[in-house]
Amino acid sequence: MSDPRLAVARRELAALKSEKTIVLALAIQLFIAAFSSFLVVGLVSLYDPGNVEGYNPSVGVAGNASDDLGAAIDEVGGVTAVEYDAAGEAGTAFADGRVDATLVANRTANGTVRVTATVPEENLRTTVLVVKLRDVLEQLERTERDRLSHRLERQPLDLPGRVAASPYFGFTYTVLVPLLVFLPVFISGSVAVDSLTEEVQQGTLELLRVAPLTLRDIVDGKLVAAAGLAPAQVALWLGLLAFNGTRIAHPAALVGVAAGFSLAVVAVGLGIALLAPDRRQAQLLYSSGILLVFTAATLLPAAPPNVVAKLAIGSATTLSWVAAAGYVALGVVCVAVVRAAVGRANPESL
C-alpha cells in the first residue's frame, strides 16, 4: 500500500495545472532561463542604462570651463561634444534638435565649476542620456578634486579607481541567478498557503481526514509537493542557463540552498494557513512576513542573494559555505517545528 502522504502530494501537483497564475509564473521563469543569453542584453539596459551600445548622443558644450568639460567627455566616451561660443547658441541648437542635450560649464570665483544640464522631456532615450551625462559629470568631479587637492588641510581617502567590469556579468550573477533561485521558493510558499486554506474553506479537509488521513499526513503531503517544486525548478533553470552559455560554478549547492529555503518558507506558509484559515488573511500574513524576513536577511554578513551570487560565480568564501549549510538546516528546523505543532493541534478547530 502506497504512503498516503505521497498520494496527497500527487494530488497537489495535479491540481497545479488548473492554477493559471502559477502556470503563467512558471512559464515566464522558464522563458527567462531558456533565452537568458538573448534577454540579458535587453534587461541590462534597464539594470544599467549607461551601458546601452549603439546610442552616442551629441551634447552641446558651452561656458568658460567648456575645455575641462570636453576633456571629461573624451575620457568617458560614448558622447559626442559639440562646442559653442555661448550658452544661448547651445540652447538654440538643442531647441532645433541639432544636439540631444546641453552642458554649460562655468568656473566660479572660488575656482569650482558649476554645470547646468538641459535634457529633453521624458522619452525612451532620456534615461540613457541622463546616465551618460552623469558619467561625464562624475569624471569632471574627479578631475576637479585632483586639481583642488592642494587646498585640503588633511589628506582624504583616495578615490577608488575605475573598474572595467562587464555590466552583463554583474547583472547575470547578482540579479538574474538570485531571481531564478528565490522566485520559485516564494511561489511554492504561496501555493502551499492557498492549497491548505482552500481545503479548509471548501470543506474538503474533512473529506481527506476520512480517507483515513491524519492532519499531519495531509500537511506532510502538501509540504512534499510544494517544497519539492522549487528545487526542481531551480535545477532546470540552472541547466538552461548553462546551456545558454552562463557558467554556474556550484549548481548542486544552489539547488541545496533553494531546497532549504523552500522547506522553511513552505513550512511557515502551512503554519500560517493553519493559524489563519481565511485565504486572504493567510496570504497577507505570509506575503508580509516573508518580505520582512527576507529584507532583514539581506542585512546579514552572508545575505542570501550574496551567497547565491558567490556560489554561482565560484568565489564562495568559508562564510558563504557555512551560510548555505545554515539555510538548509533552517529549513529542516522549520519543518520539524511545524510538524510538532500540527501533531499537537486539534483538527476540530479548523
Side-chain angles (χ1 to χ4, degrees), residues 5-17:
R5 293 172 293 186
L6 295 180
V8 173
R10 288 194 296 269
R11 174 176 173 271
E12 290 299 309
L13 293 176
L16 286 178
K17 298 178 182 178

Side-chain angles (χ1 to χ4, degrees), residues 264-336:
V265 169
V266 172
V268 170
L270 291 172
I272 291 174
L274 290 173
L275 294 175
D278 180 76
R279 181 177 182 179
R280 293 184 178 180
Q281 183 181 5
Q283 281 291 0
L284 178 61
L285 290 174
Y286 166 78
S287 302
S288 302
I290 292 299
L291 180 62
L292 290 175
V293 171
F294 192 78
T295 301
T298 59
L299 302 177
L300 296 174
N306 292 342
V307 171
V308 167
K310 289 181 178 181
L311 290 173
I313 295 172
S315 61
T317 62
T318 301
L319 180 60
S320 302
W321 286 108
V322 171
Y327 295 143
V328 175
L330 175 65
V332 175
V333 170
C334 288
V335 170

Side-chain angles (χ1 to χ4, degrees), residues 25-328:
L26 297 179
I28 292 174
Q29 296 173 66
L30 177 61
F31 181 78
I32 292 174
F35 298 95
S36 57
S37 60
F38 302 100
L39 292 176
V40 75
V41 177
L43 293 173
V44 165
S45 67
L46 301 176
Y47 171 71
D48 190 0
N51 284 281
V52 175
E53 299 178 356
Y55 176 51
N56 297 311
S58 58
V59 178
V61 177
N64 58 29
S66 59
D67 291 342
D68 296 324
L69 191 57
I73 292 175
D74 292 339
E75 180 72 20
V76 172
V79 177
T80 302
V82 181
E83 296 188 4
Y84 292 94
D85 295 331
E89 295 180 7
T92 301
F94 173 73
D96 294 341
R98 286 179 282 143
V99 293
D100 297 305
T102 64
L103 291 174
V104 179
N106 289 298
R107 194 168 296 280
T108 62
N110 62 2
T112 60
V113 176
R114 182 182 297 275
V115 181
T116 302
T118 305
V119 297
E121 294 183 358
E122 189 68 27
N123 58 43
L124 295 176
R125 294 185 177 182
T126 299
T127 302
V128 178
L129 177 60
V130 168
V131 173
K132 287 182 177 291
L133 294 184
R134 181 199 64 188
D135 294 340
V136 170
L137 296 179
E138 287 180 350
Q139 178 58 40
L140 178 62
E141 180 184 21
R142 285 173 176 265
T143 303
E144 288 299 302
R145 285 180 181 273
D146 290 340
R147 187 180 67 81
L148 300 175
S149 60
H150 65 279
R151 297 186 181 183
L152 298 174
E153 296 179 358
R154 292 184 301 173
Q155 182 64 32
L157 295 175
D158 293 333
L159 291 174
R162 292 185 178 274
V163 179
S166 168
Y168 301 100
F169 181 87
F171 176 82
T172 299
Y173 290 103
T174 64
V175 177
L176 184 59
V177 173
L179 176 68
L180 293 175
V181 169
F182 290 114
L183 190 57
V185 171
F186 299 145
I187 292 177
S188 294
S190 180
V191 168
V193 172
D194 269 357
S195 175
L196 190 54
T197 53
E198 284 184 0
E199 300 278 17
V200 175
Q201 292 180 348
Q202 295 177 5
T204 54
L205 185 63
E206 290 298 324
L207 295 178
L208 286 176
R209 289 173 52 212
V210 173
L213 288 170
T214 65
L215 181 59
R216 179 180 286 179
D217 290 337
I218 297 171
V219 170
D220 285 347
K222 292 181 179 295
L223 178 66
V224 169
L229 189 62
Q233 291 178 71
V234 171
L236 176 59
W237 302 163
L238 296 180
L240 291 173
L241 287 176
F243 179 77
N244 278 282
T246 300
R247 177 180 174 272
I248 305 298
H250 301 289
L254 292 178
V255 173
V257 169
F261 271 103
S262 183
L263 286 172
V265 169
V266 172
V268 170
L270 291 172
I272 291 174
L274 290 173
L275 294 175
D278 180 76
R279 181 177 182 179
R280 293 184 178 180
Q281 183 181 5
Q283 281 291 0
L284 178 61
L285 290 174
Y286 166 78
S287 302
S288 302
I290 292 299
L291 180 62
L292 290 175
V293 171
F294 192 78
T295 301
T298 59
L299 302 177
L300 296 174
N306 292 342
V307 171
V308 167
K310 289 181 178 181
L311 290 173
I313 295 172
S315 61
T317 62
T318 301
L319 180 60
S320 302
W321 286 108
V322 171
Y327 295 143
V328 175

